[in-house]
Amino acid sequence: MPATQKPMRYGHTEGHTDVCFDDSGSCIVTCGSDGDVRIWEDLDDDDPKSINVGEKAYSCALKNGKLVTAVSNNTIQVHTFPEGVPDGILTRFTTNANHVVFNKDGAKVAAGSSDFLVKVVDVMDCSQQKTFRGHDAPILSLSFDPKDTFLASASCDGSVRVWQISDQTCAVSWPLLQKCNDVINAKSICRLAWQPKSGKLLAVPVEKSVKLYRRESWSNQFDLSDNFISQTINIVTWSPCGQYLAAGSVNGLIIIWNVETKDCLERVKHEKGYAICGLAWHPTCSRIAYTDAEGNLGLLENVCNPNGEISSSKVSSRVEKDYNDLFDGDDTSNAGDFLNDNAVETPTFSKGIIHDDEDDDIMLASGRPRQRSHFLEDDENSVDLTMLKTGSSRLKEEEEDDQADSIHNLPLVTPQRKFYDGPLPTPRQKPFQSGSTPVHLTHRFMVWNSIGIIRCYNDEQDNAIDVEFHDTSIHHATHLSNTLNYTVADLSHEAILLACESTDELASKLHCLHFSSWDSSKEWIVDMPQNEDVEAICLGQGWAAASTSALLLRLFTIGGVQKEVFSLPGPVVSMAGHGEQLFIVYHRGIGFDGDQCLGVQLLELGKKKKQILHGDPLPLTRKSYLVWVGFSAEGTPCFVDSEGIVRMLNRGLGNLWTPVCNTREHCKGKSDHYWVVGIHENPQQLRCIPCKGSRFPPTLPRPAVAILSFKLPYCQIGTEKGQMEEQYWRSVLFHNHLDYLAKNNYEYEESTKNQAIKQQQELLMKMLALSCKLEREFRCVELADLMTQNAVNLAIKYASRSRRLILAQRLSELAVEKAAELAATQVEEEEEEEDFRKKLNAGYSNTATEWSQPRLRNQVEEEAEDTGEVDDIEEKSEIHKQGQNPFSKSANSCNVPAINSGAVTSSNQGRVNPFKVSASSKEPAISVNSARSTNILDNMNKSYKKSTALNRATNNEKSPVIKPLVPKPKSKQASAASYFQKKTSETDKTEEIKEENPKNSSSETSAVCAQDTENQRPKTGFQMWLEENRSNILSDNPDLSDEADIIKKGILLFRVLSTEERKAWAIKAKGETASDVAETKKRKFVDESQETENQKEKATENLNLPKKQKPLDLSTNQKLSAFAFKQE
C-alpha cells in the first residue's frame, strides 16, 4: 500500500516551524514563529491546544511530560505537558538558540545557539551544565548519541563535529557544508540524526545526498541519494526501528530509504514545493509528521509496516490536493493507485514496482524485496542490476557480457527504461453541498445560504439538526432529531430538504419538510432504489432535485410528486437551484496533472422546459477544484474554486464565464481563506466568512460575515483608463440579469435599469474625453459604438467643441448607422408581433383582444398624456406610431420610415410600454443629456449658446455632421428621461436624403416634412436678424460667396449690437415660436381634409427657404468650421 499524503493544513504563521510527537504518539506538537506551541490530537483537529511560550519559538522537544522550547528571548524554557504550565528556564544564551534535543532517556537536553556555543543541561538540575566550544559560527543542529556517549553538531562554519560528552572534546570534524554567517542565510539547516538503538550510523544531509558515518571509526560508509533530488536536503530523521531513513529537501521533496538495502521506498512532493524544516517519525506507527517553512503541518501515513516490510507496492509521488474526503474511492489507497509519477504497474507483477533510478528493487508479488547477491559500491561507474522472474517478458532484456559472471548466470536486464512520465490522472472530486463544511466534523454546517443556516451536531450527547432562518418571518427556528444520520441538506423559503446515505438495513432517503404548505401534512420521505444513494440535492421554486450514485437526476414537486428523471453524463459534483433554474456540475471525464475535468448543465424547469448550457466544460483555475456552486440573489449562476476565483455566467456574452473576484487578494496570510455564503449583483456584494488558517469556519463561535467587493481582472487597473474600463464592463455584466428578468416576464425595478444605463454612458463619455485628450480619435469612435444615441450626439458635440472635425464627422456617420440598425431591428420586431397577432386571430372572431388591437390602447395613452403632437394620430401609419420616441417627438421622417422607427433605443425598457409618448414631446427632440452627462462637458455650456445663431442659419442645410450639434432647450421631462431618450437625428438624416433625391419626393411628403421641421426648429433671434439683414450684408460684402462666410460675418455684426437690441430680437423669436405652438394645438382639431391642405401650404412655403441658403456643394470642412467657431 503506498504512502498516503494527507493534505497540508495551517499550523503557524509564515516562518520556520518545528514538529515532534509525544512519547506515545497520541499527539503532534508543533512550534512556530508566532511564539505558540500547538498540540494536535490529529491532523484534522480544528481546535488544537495552544501554549504561548514567547515571541518566537525556534525549536521544541518533548519527553517524559517535559516540553522544552528554544525561544527568541535567548532562553531554553520548560513547560509541563500537556498542561502547558511554565516549569522554569533550563539555560540562557547571549543570542537565540536554534535547536534543542532530548537524549534517549529524557534526562538531558542539548541546545545550540547563534553565539557559537553548544550546551548540555540536566533537566532535573539545570545547574549541571556542560558547554562545548569550537564552532566558529552559529549552530544549526544537534543530535544525541542513543548511548549518551557522543553529541553531533552542525554549524554555519561549514563543519559537522562529533563531541565526546564526558570530557567535552571534539572527536572528529568534517568540513561538509557551505559556510555562511547566520542561520537564515544557510543553504540547509542540516538537521542530522543518529541511528536509534545502536547508534551505529550518523546521518548527515549534505547537498543532494545523505552521508552515513560509522560510529567510532568515523568513516563514510555510504551515501543515500536519488535521481529525483534536485535541491539541497534540509533534514533527516530515522524510523524508531532504525531501518528506514527519511529526508526532506528545501524544495519540498520527502524521500524515504531502506538503509540496509539502500533502496528508495517513497518519494512524496510537497503540494506547494515549500522547504521541509521539520520531520518527525511516529514512535510506534508508520506515520511521519512534517512542517514547512511557511508554517504548515502535514502527515504521511502507511510509510512502512511494523515488522519492517515495505508497505508500499509503488513509489507514490502524487499530492492529494486537499481534504481526504474530497476525492472518490472507498479508501485513500485506491485513489493513489494510478497516481504515481515515476512508476507503472506491469501485468506480470501486479504488486510490483519499477523505479527508474538505479538503486531500486523490483518488488515481487509477495511484497518483499528480492535479496541481492552482490552489492556494488555507489560510484559513478557502478551498474545496479536486478533479478527478475522468467515471466517478466514485458520488460526488455539485454544481456551484459561483461557482467554475466557476477549475477550467477540468471537472466539479465539493463537498468529499467524510463516509463511514461507525462501528466497523470487527477483523483475525482467527491460530491459536496455548497455552503457546507466537511462531513467528518462533529459540529458542522450542513448548509449556509441566503435563506438561513442548518447546523448538525453529532457527538456523544446529541445527534441533532438546528435550522435557523435569517428572516424569522419566513419560519421560526427549528430543532430536528437526526436519527437517520442525514449528511446533506438544502434550505429555501418554502422547504427544508435532507438526505442520508444507505446502510445495510435502510435505503438512502430524501426527506422534505415543506413548512410553507397550507395543509397540515408538511413532511414527505422518498426511499431511493436499492444500491442507489443520494449524493447531491437542491431546492427551487416549487420543485426539489436529487442526484444519485446511479447517475440519475430525480425531480420532485415541493409537495412530493415525482416528476422527470434523466441521466447525467457523469458523476455529480454539486447542484444548485434558484427559481426555475437548475445548475448541475458533474465529472465529464478524468482530469490530468491536478486539474478537475468538470461539465455544467443549466436547465430552466418552467412551463417550457429548456436547457441553457449543454454540458459545457466548467473553467477552473489550474490545479484547483470546485468549492461553491450557486446563484446570485438575482438568479445568475456563479461558482468558486479552491484558488478563490469567483466566476459568474455572462449572459450577454453567449453564456461564457467571467471571473469577477479573487478572494485570495483579500487574504492576509497564505493559509487564510474566504468561505463564500452568497453573491448579490445589486448592490454588488460578495458575502463570505473569513477563515484564519482554514478553508472553512467553525460552528462556534458564530462566524461573522464579511462583504468583499468585485473586481474584474482587467489590465492596467492602476491607470485611469483601466479603472474606467473595468467599472464599465462590470456594470454591464452585473446588470445583465435585468434583461434576463424582462425576457422571462419577471418584475424588476425600472429605476435600477435607468441608473445602470446612466452610469455606463457616463463612464463611456469619460473614456471618450480621455481618449480625445490623448489624440486617440479611432479609439473614440470605438467607444462611441458602445454608446446610446443620446450619448453619441453628446460625443459629437464634444468632438466639435474640441475642434476635432474629422472625429465629429466619423461620429455622425456612426450615429446614422446606429439609427439604421435600430430601425431594422424595430421593423423585424413589428413583423414578428404582427405575425403573432395573426396566429392568435386565426380561426376566431374579430373580437378585439389585447394582442389584436394594441394600437388602440396606446392611442388612449397618448391622448391622456396631452402631448400636443403636430401630426394627427389618425394619419400616422402603424410602423410610424411604433417608432415614436417615448420621450421626444421625432416623427418627421417621410422618405425613410425605417430610420425613423429605428430611433428607439429603448431595447432596455423591459416590459414597460414602448409606445407611450410623454409630455416631453412638446420640447425639441435633441436636448443636452442628463445632468450627469452635462458634468462631463460642463465647461461648454456657454459655447453652446454662442453656436445657436449659426446652427439656425443653416436650418435647411442639415448634414449628419452638423445636425447633432444643434443645442436645444432642455425640459424637466427630457432631463428625467436621461439616457432612455430616443435621439431624433433621424430628422436630419431623412431631410438630407430628401435633398439628395428631390425627384423621388412627392409634394405630400415634402409638406409633412416641412411642417414638422418648422414645428421642431423654432427660430432664434440671430436667425430672424440674419434673414432681415442678409441683403445688407451681401451688398456691403460682395466678395462673400459661401454660406459659412455669410454666417460668420453675421455673427460678428450681431455681436456688435447692444444687449437690449439682441434681447429684443430674442423676444421676437420666442413670440413667433409661441404662436406656432398655439397654432399647432389648434390644428389638432381640424378635420382631415382641411389639415391636408394646410400641410401642403406649409410645405410650399418651406420649399422656398433653401433659396436663401448655400447650395448642397458646400464642403464638409466648411460646414464643420462653422460649428467649431469659437469666440476668442
Side-chain angles (χ1 to χ4, degrees), residues 910-921:
R911 298 297 174 182
V912 176
N913 178 14
F915 313 111
K916 181 176 178 180
V917 181
S918 70
S920 63
S921 57

Side-chain angles (χ1 to χ4, degrees), residues 753-820:
K753 185 77 171 181
N754 299 354
Q755 186 64 26
I757 297 295
K758 287 182 181 180
Q759 180 188 11
Q760 292 164 17
Q761 299 307 307
E762 181 179 354
L763 287 168
L764 288 173
M765 285 302 304
K766 287 181 179 179
M767 286 189 281
L768 184 135
L770 180 63
S771 299
C772 253
K773 292 177 181 177
L774 299 176
E775 297 185 354
R776 297 278 187 177
E777 296 189 2
F778 188 90
R779 185 182 295 170
C780 292
V781 177
E782 292 176 324
L783 290 168
D785 193 35
L786 302 172
M787 296 179 180
T788 61
Q789 284 218 320
N790 242 16
V792 171
N793 289 340
L794 189 60
I796 295 171
K797 295 176 184 178
Y798 181 83
S800 298
R801 289 298 166 194
S802 302
R803 296 181 179 274
R804 302 189 181 277
L805 307 182
I806 297 177
L807 174 60
Q809 181 178 3
R810 293 281 187 180
L811 293 178
S812 293
E813 293 171 357
L814 177 64
V816 175
E817 293 175 6
K818 291 173 76 73

Side-chain angles (χ1 to χ4, degrees), residues 484-502:
L484 294 176
N485 194 26
Y486 294 116
T487 55
V488 289
D490 199 10
L491 181 65
S492 73
H493 64 277
E494 294 178 318
I496 302 167
L497 192 63
L498 304 167
C500 64
E501 297 177 349
S502 61

Side-chain angles (χ1 to χ4, degrees), residues 185-225:
N185 299 322
K187 193 174 181 181
S188 163
I189 60 173
C190 192
R191 289 281 196 264
L192 38 74
W194 288 92
Q195 188 176 23
K197 297 181 180 178
S198 65
K200 180 180 177 182
L201 296 172
L202 173 64
V204 183
V206 180
E207 297 293 334
K208 300 177 184 179
S209 64
V210 178
K211 293 185 176 293
L212 288 101
Y213 293 89
R214 182 173 291 278
R215 180 189 184 89
E216 294 181 348
S217 70
W218 311 123
S219 61
N220 182 14
Q221 291 292 99
F222 53 89
D223 293 351
L224 295 176
S225 185

Side-chain angles (χ1 to χ4, degrees), residues 369-430:
R370 287 291 301 266
Q371 298 297 321
R372 300 169 186 244
S373 58
H374 285 68
F375 174 72
L376 302 179
E377 290 294 325
D378 284 346
D379 60 68
E380 62 184 13
N381 299 317
S382 65
V383 180
D384 184 14
L385 301 180
T386 56
M387 298 175 292
L388 300 177
K389 290 187 177 180
T390 57
S392 58
S393 59
R394 295 293 182 99
L395 300 177
K396 182 179 179 181
E397 297 183 352
E398 294 180 5
E399 293 189 0
E400 299 291 324
D401 295 335
D402 58 334
Q403 296 178 353
D405 295 335
S406 66
I407 53 175
H408 306 290
N409 297 324
L410 289 176
L412 300 178
V413 294
T414 59
Q416 284 73 34
R417 290 183 305 156
K418 196 167 185 177
F419 284 83
Y420 174 72
D421 195 23
L424 294 178
T426 305
R428 283 180 171 176
Q429 180 177 354
K430 279 189 174 181

